[in-house]
Amino acid sequence: EAGVAQSPRYKIIEKRQSVAFWCNPISGHATLYWYQQILGQGPKLLIQFQNNGVVDDSQLPKDRFSAERLKGVDSTLKIQPAKLEDSAVYLCASSLTNADTQYFGPGTRLTVL
Amino acid sequence: AQSVTQLDSQVPVFEEAPVELRCNYSSSVSVYLFWYVQYPNQGLQLLLKYLSGSTLVKSINGFEAEFNKSQTSFHLRKPSVHISDTAEYFCAVTIPGAQKLVFGQGTRLTINP
């Protein structure tokens, strides 16, 4: 069974630029999560989807971050414009339902200069 | 709201020595508890979890953790570590049905030969 796929693995941009990350969850998993992991900290949930609907986006900085999961499968997370403090690893995870174990992708390491 | 505290940011041990990684949580309701491991340049992997029943849970690679409700702890232990256990370990908590994982800051386990 293929795991959660993410791309790109690494991205370097300058502040005020835009960036997008892509996630392909495990086939059949209805729930998808985006986490932000700042160096030296644990992952922090940004947004949770159940199929193509948002369940929780309470910690998503909506003035600059957006995410979508239009067909209930793949998802993209966008930052526009990026700030220095957005430098982090962005992790995508999926689970069969919202009551099951979450499986994580390898993450995208973003560096904002 | 729930919170997790991992008391040690780094734990260096010698190979074949025992190790304990400490985790304390705060919650006013019942919780599920998890330990995730992150090997270098990889995503998080579930190591073990406590949902209900026996308070002692074990992983397939020799780690175990014990849920202690009175001390609000879920410490991770291994009687004899191997070089391959070098990784960052994250403790996480969620409320049954919520599925929003709250992570601790992580503990970096370094194994010296």
Side-chain angles (χ1 to χ4, degrees):
Chain A
E1 177 182 81
V4 176
Q6 290 188 248
S7 69
R9 291 294 309 276
Y10 305 91
K11 189 74 176 178
I12 301 174
I13 62 172
E14 295 189 349
K15 60 183 179 183
R16 291 188 289 273
Q17 284 187 321
S18 301
V19 65
F21 313 126
W22 174 82
C23 173
N24 187 16
I26 293 173
S27 178
H29 280 197
T31 311
L32 185 147
Y33 314 79
W34 283 102
Y35 289 85
Q36 180 191 58
Q37 186 179 11
I38 292 173
L39 187 65
Q41 300 180 21
K44 181 186 78 172
L45 180 69
L46 292 176
I47 188 167
Q48 176 184 344
F49 290 95
Q50 182 69 21
N51 295 309
N52 60 351
V54 175
V55 173
D56 184 348
D57 64 356
S58 57
Q59 297 193 89
L60 186 73
K62 299 180 185 64
D63 58 333
R64 297 184 300 106
F65 287 64
S66 64
E68 59 183 15
R69 194 185 184 199
L70 293 175
K71 297 183 179 179
V73 181
D74 294 8
S75 177
T76 56
L77 176 69
K78 297 179 182 177
I79 308 175
Q80 181 179 10
K83 293 185 175 181
L84 296 177
E85 57 262 36
D86 298 332
S87 293
V89 176
Y90 290 85
L91 297 166
C92 180
S94 70
S95 60
L96 194 59
T97 70
N98 64 359
D100 289 298
T101 298
Q102 296 182 31
Y103 295 88
F104 285 79
T108 296
R109 183 178 297 276
L110 173 67
T111 302
V112 182
L113 303 175
Chain B
Q2 294 70 47
S3 67
V4 176
T5 301
Q6 291 183 245
L7 297 164
D8 305 297
S9 59
Q10 296 187 60
V11 174
V13 296
F14 288 105
E15 194 172 17
E16 299 183 3
V19 69
E20 177 180 82
L21 307 183
R22 296 179 292 171
C23 171
N24 286 89
Y25 70 92
S26 173
S27 176
S28 58
V29 299
S30 297
V31 296
Y32 292 161
L33 292 156
F34 304 80
W35 275 100
Y36 278 83
V37 59
Q38 188 172 32
Y39 298 105
N41 298 314
Q42 295 185 30
L44 279 79
Q45 302 173 33
L46 180 65
L47 190 60
L48 46 76
K49 62 184 176 183
Y50 170 78
L51 304 182
S52 63
S54 173
T55 58
L56 183 65
V57 291
K58 300 183 179 184
S59 72
I60 59 173
N61 59 352
F63 283 93
E64 63 181 35
E66 185 156 22
F67 170 57
N68 188 320
K69 188 175 182 180
S70 63
Q71 297 188 6
T72 61
S73 67
F74 191 56
H75 301 331
L76 182 70
R77 302 183 182 96
K78 188 171 185 179
S80 176
V81 295
H82 188 267
I83 290 284
S84 60
D85 294 323
T86 296
E88 188 140 19
Y89 292 79
F90 292 92
C91 183
V93 64
T94 190
I95 300 174
Q99 203 57 14
K100 176 180 177 177
L101 281 173
V102 176
F103 285 87
Q105 306 93 313
T107 297
R108 185 173 298 278
L109 177 62
T110 305
I111 313 297
N112 299 307

